[in-house]
Amino acid sequence: MIPALETRNLTKRFGSFVATSDVSLSVRPGARHALIGPNGAGKTTLINLLTGVFAANSGQILLGGEDITALPAHARVRRGLSRTFQINQLFADMTPLDSVMLAIGEREGHGRLGWRPLSADRVVADEAAALLERFRLADVMGSATTLLPYGKQRLLEIALAIATRPRVLLLDEPAAGVPEEERHEVLGIVRDLPADVTVVLIEHDMDLVFSFADRISVLVGGALFAEGTVAEISGDARVKAIYLGEDA
Amino acid sequence: MSGEPAAPSGQAAALLRRAERWQLWEIALWIIAVAMIFVMPSHMLILTEIAILALLAVSLDLILGYAGIVSLGHAAFFGLGAYSAGLFAKFAITEPVTGLLFAGAVSGVFGLATSFLVLRGSDLTRLMTTFGVAMLLAEVVNQTGWLTGGADGLSGVTVTPILGLFEFDLWGRTGYIYSLIVLMAVVFISRRIVNSPYGLSLKAIKRNPTRAAMLGISPNRRIVVIYTIAAVFAGMAGALLTQTTSFVSPDALAFHRSADVLLVLVIGGAGYLYGGILGAVIFTILRDWLSVITPQYWMFWIGLILIVIVMVGRERVTRWQALLPGSAANREAKARAAALAAARDAA
Amino acid sequence: MLTILFDGIAYGMLLFILACGLSITLGLMNFVNLAHGAFAMAGGYITVIMMNRYGISFYWCLPAAFLVTALAGAVLERTLYRHLYGSPHLDQVLFSIGLVFMSIAAIDYLMGGQQQLINLPPELRGRFEFLGVGIGRYRLFVIIICAILAVALQLALTRTRFGSQLRAAVDDGRVARGLGINVSLIFVATFAFGSGLGGLGGALGADLLGLDPNFPLKFLIYFMIVVTVGGTSSISGPFIAALLLGIADVAGKYYVPQLGAFIIYAVMILVLILRPHGLFSREGGR
């Protein structure tokens, strides 16, 4: 079976600092794959390499068997690789409706210079409305993004990634910073992601990781330290020593 | 439950339509502009000047207000259009509309060629390259005196009646109507562009290029396209100047013109198309008034206005546009103010 | 041939002194100060007024030009510039264009629009032959002064306590403040010094470059070329860029006058395309 996402000996250096060291990772289609590791382990750097924010120094990235190492970020998205950001990357004074319309419209290739007004695109508008409703954003679709509560912004962050209809979705700490009372909404959305979407999750919340993931990779110092099922990792004494022990 | 899912989609459609609707003040503005033909028949020349400046400012708004590219050399396209129209009339066809399209095309090709310069680097490199390109063109005009008349300008440009029907009159009435129609057409086209999915992607690129790329948008291609379109419009503005004055001077490429049009946009507010028009009206009236008081030194006051606007804060100066009822600027200004406040709290 | 080279070096050295203030504000303080030429012009006019109206010796005018423009720079930094350090580049551009416009109109109003001439002291006039190279005395004088300044500047930035404090203040103002460094004092001192250098350059250049109210705009492109081509991460980058520009400009005007400034603009754009951070900067640096 071709892995949904695969890296081969991926390495990234910033000057003399090795942020990602010889990482070979394989994620099977439909997986719920968690990426954990102490702060500074290079989790976000790895995501940035996968999505093309940074260029790798060496190694390969394959999406569904296709080498995407040299592709720019937007081309990777078009091939079905999408992500959310640890720190919200939204369009501050645009509305959730506009943001989602944009994401869907771009997926459908409507974003090239055109004459048709946004409102003429009923199919996209309907899909946007449905998506907003699913993400509990329907009631605020017309207000500026910055005015939304943080939890709602977090939901929009995920909604935008989903709107591109990814085959592989990378979630970078989706629940980070969300107040307790809004947290269950975000986590519910993450749990309810379509089963055919491969999900790679970075998360610090071990409860969430253990309940959500079917496979876990542990990253330490930029290198892959351990990989296995939830049971294997939670039972691994070395992982506990390095990572879990530190957190507890 | 079954009726519920339709509600958000209806709400979405209504919201989208509302954002695109022609606002009352927009219609009023155009009515006033047309009415000027009859109300102020003795002021046609300055009204023409305003229309041309407005056209240039609208074209700059497309790249500054929508794509977020700071240009210090927008006069390059204006000047190129002006000289293209002048030379075209002199050596080829004297009919103005043909000349207008020719100038737009030349300028557009130049815009396309130079658009790749604004893709890389920071604001600063963009400033420098746009500035450099404008200086380069000015130098070309200066050095090719045999063709362009050099520092003396290109004279002897004859313009025949528009489409062979409407002759330019002494009072500039035809010139104003002609310029106004071009301005209206350009604003109409720009309006369609910014309200399309493409326009939405531009706004997104300006606000957050990282995220825009993560939605599958290739920012570079979008910017090249809008930069080229803006160059076409700016070139047309230059052509209008040539055709309504029958003369082109190197002043069309001068640095102060790039600075002026930035100021126009700052006064009127960027990012909603009409800022260029309102700014052009205010700027031209202000300049005329100042140059009556201090004939030679109005530059001083323009400089002072720039400094005051920046020190007070551009957001605050252009806040009055938010008063325009139901305008997109109104809503955006509110959001922007909130965003600023939030950013200030965070900092 | 060598005479042209010599003239070019003198011109380049002068451009370096004129532009390095800009390089400092731009590179270290990240402020796009298009009004830098206005400070240089002020230095030039101070010299003209002191010499022509009050008959003060040229040698006294140079430090005076430096001090007065430095003071003006300090005052403007305190009152206006410092509010814009965090602003978008567009605001900085608009603000400094405003300053340029005001300075042009003000000088035009006060001094008239004509070219200003100064009478250099007799020992600086004329040329002498040295190994077959025609050497202008004044140009030699300019080269010597500028070379001393360039070396002093390089040492000041890399070897002194002030230099390291400045770099700390720029790298992270908050941390520097935490270390007890008076960041705002450092900024005002740096800005004043940069403006003063511009003023000194303007005074030295009054004879070589010409001086009229349009000076800030006319030479803006040259300053910008020096800074963009040289990069802003060091002093040596702009220095080399200024020398190359000076030599190329003098040689170009001598050999191919019909091309004018064309080549220089084209080269600048080319450099910006190929090396957006400057010709001599390490790629990926701040």
Side-chain angles (χ1 to χ4, degrees):
Chain A
M1 187 175 50
I2 300 166
L5 182 68
E6 191 183 357
T7 69
R8 290 180 188 159
N9 310 99
L10 202 61
T11 299
K12 174 70 185 174
R13 285 181 293 270
F14 295 103
S16 58
F17 175 68
V18 184
T20 304
S21 167
D22 200 26
V23 170
S24 297
L25 192 72
S26 178
V27 182
R28 67 166 177 80
R32 295 285 179 272
H33 197 120
L35 203 58
I36 64 171
N39 282 326
K43 303 182 295 282
T44 298
T45 303
L46 182 57
I47 297 263
N48 282 335
L49 289 175
L50 292 173
T51 52
V53 175
F54 301 144
N57 291 99
S58 61
Q60 267 184 312
I61 305 164
L62 292 95
L63 182 69
E66 185 193 359
D67 190 340
I68 58 165
T69 320
L71 292 180
H74 59 88
R76 299 183 193 198
V77 177
R78 289 190 177 280
R79 279 166 178 74
L81 180 66
S82 194
R83 75 175 284 189
T84 67
F85 290 83
Q86 189 180 352
I87 297 160
N88 280 342
Q89 295 279 342
L90 299 168
F91 308 111
D93 59 349
M94 278 166 55
T95 63
L97 177 61
D98 279 347
S99 306
V100 174
M101 287 285 293
L102 173 74
I104 298 171
E106 289 297 333
R107 185 194 75 210
E108 299 296 324
H110 296 177
R112 273 172 228 116
L113 183 62
W115 190 247
R116 266 157 67 91
L118 212 51
S119 64
D121 227 338
R122 283 313 298 261
V123 181
V124 172
D126 285 348
E127 190 188 329
L131 190 68
L132 288 165
E133 166 132 83
R134 199 172 114 211
F135 279 76
R136 290 163 237 258
L137 290 162
D139 50 330
V140 291
M141 66 163 82
S143 55
T145 300
T146 36
L147 302 180
L148 304 184
Y150 188 77
K152 295 274 184 201
Q153 294 193 26
R154 220 51 202 143
L155 286 170
L156 180 58
E157 177 81 30
I158 303 170
L160 287 184
I162 290 291
T164 65
R165 217 174 264 168
R167 286 188 286 159
V168 178
L169 175 63
L170 312 172
L171 296 172
D172 196 349
E173 297 195 38
V178 179
E180 202 50 49
E181 62 271 21
E182 292 171 299
R183 204 176 162 80
H184 68 278
E185 266 192 342
V186 178
L187 298 184
I189 289 290
V190 172
R191 286 205 179 87
D192 293 346
L193 290 171
D196 58 334
V197 176
T198 309
V199 180
V200 176
L201 172 82
I202 292 184
E203 188 51 71
H204 274 298
D205 184 334
M206 282 306 126
D207 292 336
L208 175 60
V209 168
F210 290 147
S211 67
F212 172 82
D214 49 30
R215 204 163 175 83
I216 299 176
S217 294
V218 186
L219 216 56
V220 176
L224 207 53
F225 179 77
E227 192 184 322
T229 61
V230 174
E232 283 165 10
I233 293 298
S234 61
D236 190 320
R238 295 175 310 150
V239 173
K240 255 187 199 143
I242 284 181
Y243 184 68
L244 301 179
E246 185 189 77
D247 222 39
Chain B
M1 278 305 280
S2 61
E4 281 233 273
S9 101
Q11 195 192 342
L15 274 171
L16 293 171
R17 274 197 305 272
R18 199 178 77 191
E20 290 159 12
R21 202 183 303 146
W22 283 88
Q23 301 294 335
L24 213 58
W25 60 266
E26 285 182 73
I27 298 163
L29 183 88
W30 292 117
I31 291 176
I32 293 171
V34 172
M36 282 298 163
I37 303 167
F38 310 103
V39 178
M40 301 176 90
S42 56
H43 291 76
M44 286 294 123
L45 294 178
I46 190 167
L47 284 166
T48 309
E49 211 177 299
I50 291 175
I52 293 172
L53 184 60
L55 179 54
L56 182 61
V58 168
S59 75
L60 181 64
D61 196 12
L62 286 177
I63 59 172
L64 179 70
Y66 286 91
I69 293 173
V70 188
S71 168
L72 208 50
H74 204 54
F77 304 118
F78 183 83
L80 185 63
Y83 275 99
S84 305
L87 293 170
F88 190 69
K90 212 169 166 182
F91 298 112
I93 299 167
T94 51
E95 196 282 313
V97 176
T98 324
L100 182 79
L101 297 176
F102 175 77
V106 170
S107 205
V109 169
F110 189 68
L112 180 66
T114 54
S115 65
F116 299 96
L117 304 178
V118 300
L119 294 179
R120 284 187 67 180
S122 57
D123 276 354
L124 182 67
T125 36
R126 286 169 170 173
L127 282 173
M128 287 306 309
T129 40
T130 49
F131 180 56
V133 166
M135 298 296 285
L136 197 76
L137 268 189
E139 191 62 30
V140 169
V141 165
N142 203 18
Q143 295 295 332
T144 52
W146 51 272
L147 182 68
T148 61
D152 299 329
L154 182 71
S155 50
V157 178
T158 39
V159 270
T160 47
I162 299 165
L163 299 171
L165 297 172
F166 309 101
E167 196 162 348
F168 285 99
D169 56 311
L170 219 54
W171 301 273
R173 190 158 175 266
T174 313
Y176 175 63
I177 297 172
Y178 174 47
S179 305
L180 188 60
I181 289 172
V182 175
L183 175 65
M184 285 169 97
V186 163
V187 169
F188 180 74
I189 294 170
S190 304
R191 215 176 170 284
R192 289 297 290 243
I193 291 174
V194 301
N195 282 333
S196 72
Y198 168 76
L200 188 61
S201 75
L202 281 182
K203 287 179 212 168
I205 290 166
K206 181 191 172 192
R207 280 159 183 77
N208 193 336
T210 315
R211 171 55 102 171
M214 283 305 156
L215 298 180
I217 301 170
S218 158
N220 286 0
R221 255 177 257 170
R222 303 288 158 88
I223 288 174
V224 164
V225 169
I226 198 68
Y227 199 74
T228 306
I229 292 172
V232 170
F233 292 162
M236 287 180 161
L240 285 181
L241 181 72
T242 304
Q243 293 171 349
T244 54
T245 58
S246 305
F247 179 69
V248 198
S249 80
D251 186 62
L253 281 162
F255 171 73
H256 77 81
R257 197 174 286 274
S258 296
D260 284 352
V261 66
L262 264 178
L263 175 59
V264 164
L265 216 46
V266 166
I267 294 174
Y272 72 108
L273 287 184
Y274 287 89
I277 299 174
L278 299 172
V281 173
I282 298 170
F283 176 84
T284 310
I285 293 172
L286 209 61
R287 196 190 54 194
D288 263 46
W289 179 63
L290 288 173
S291 56
V292 168
I293 305 176
T294 50
Q296 270 185 66
Y297 311 113
W298 62 271
M299 216 177 180
F300 181 87
W301 303 108
I302 295 287
L304 188 65
I305 293 167
L306 265 174
I307 292 176
V308 168
I309 289 178
V310 173
M311 294 318 286
V312 173
R314 274 185 292 138
E315 305 289 339
R316 239 171 283 175
V317 173
T318 52
R319 195 172 281 171
W320 57 269
Q321 54 168 279
L323 300 175
L324 300 171
S327 69
N330 185 326
R331 264 172 290 130
E332 278 183 21
K334 273 183 204 159
R336 218 175 294 149
L340 271 176
R344 223 170 277 141
D345 287 345
Chain C
M1 225 286 279
L2 283 173
T3 309
I4 290 168
L5 186 67
F6 178 79
D7 284 0
I9 291 173
Y11 186 40
M13 289 280 209
L14 194 56
L15 281 178
F16 169 70
I17 292 303
L18 277 166
C20 74
L22 180 65
S23 161
I24 290 170
T25 45
L26 193 63
L28 294 178
M29 294 149 94
N30 194 22
F31 193 103
V32 184
N33 183 18
L34 299 185
H36 186 70
F39 291 102
M41 175 170 72
Y45 274 97
I46 288 163
T47 309
V48 167
I49 293 171
M50 284 175 72
M51 287 182 71
N52 295 357
R53 287 217 187 135
Y54 302 103
I56 297 167
S57 152
F58 179 68
Y59 300 109
W60 284 112
C61 293
L62 296 180
F66 176 83
L67 288 174
V68 175
T69 43
L71 189 68
V75 170
L76 281 173
E77 202 273 349
R78 279 291 82 178
T79 51
L80 298 174
Y81 276 94
R82 71 193 197 97
H83 299 291
L84 296 174
Y85 282 142
S87 298
H89 281 151
L90 177 61
D91 277 348
Q92 301 174 350
V93 164
L94 292 168
F95 167 78
S96 50
I97 289 177
L99 267 189
V100 168
F101 281 3
M102 285 180 78
S103 70
I104 289 176
I107 290 287
D108 198 0
Y109 175 73
L110 296 170
M111 304 290 295
Q114 75 281 16
Q115 277 276 344
Q116 299 289 340
L117 300 170
I118 55 169
N119 281 315
L120 292 171
E123 64 272 21
L124 291 179
R125 276 181 240 156
R127 288 175 172 267
F128 60 89
E129 290 272 325
F130 183 74
L131 300 176
V133 184
I135 292 183
R137 286 171 207 270
Y138 183 62
R139 287 187 166 81
L140 185 63
F141 176 74
V142 167
I143 290 179
I144 292 169
I145 289 200
C146 293
I148 293 171
L149 277 171
V151 172
L153 213 61
Q154 174 71 18
L155 290 177
L157 277 177
T158 52
R159 297 284 167 79
T160 65
R161 200 175 140 73
F162 183 83
S164 49
Q165 284 188 342
L166 174 61
R167 273 176 283 129
V170 170
D171 270 349
D172 194 328
R174 221 174 295 169
V175 172
R177 227 168 269 132
L179 292 170
I181 297 173
N182 189 340
V183 172
S184 67
L185 182 70
I186 287 194
F187 272 30
V188 72
T190 309
F191 192 87
F193 187 71
S195 312
L197 278 181
L200 177 62
L204 282 171
D207 185 66
L208 286 181
L209 305 177
L211 188 63
D212 65 68
N214 272 319
F215 185 91
L217 279 186
K218 212 157 55 183
F219 285 93
L220 177 60
I221 185 84
Y222 284 88
F223 304 155
M224 290 308 235
I225 292 173
V226 169
V227 174
T228 43
V229 172
T232 51
S233 54
S234 66
I235 288 291
S236 46
F239 181 75
I240 297 167
L243 276 186
L244 289 177
L245 174 63
I247 295 166
D249 200 35
V250 170
K253 278 184 181 144
Y254 185 82
Y255 290 113
V256 272
Q258 65 276 18
L259 278 178
F262 189 87
I263 300 175
I264 290 165
Y265 299 150
V267 166
M268 176 189 84
I269 292 169
L270 208 67
V271 168
L272 282 170
I273 301 169
L274 299 175
R275 299 290 305 264
H277 297 285
L279 205 51
F280 308 107
S281 76
R282 284 149 285 146
E283 192 86 23
R286 280 174 55 88

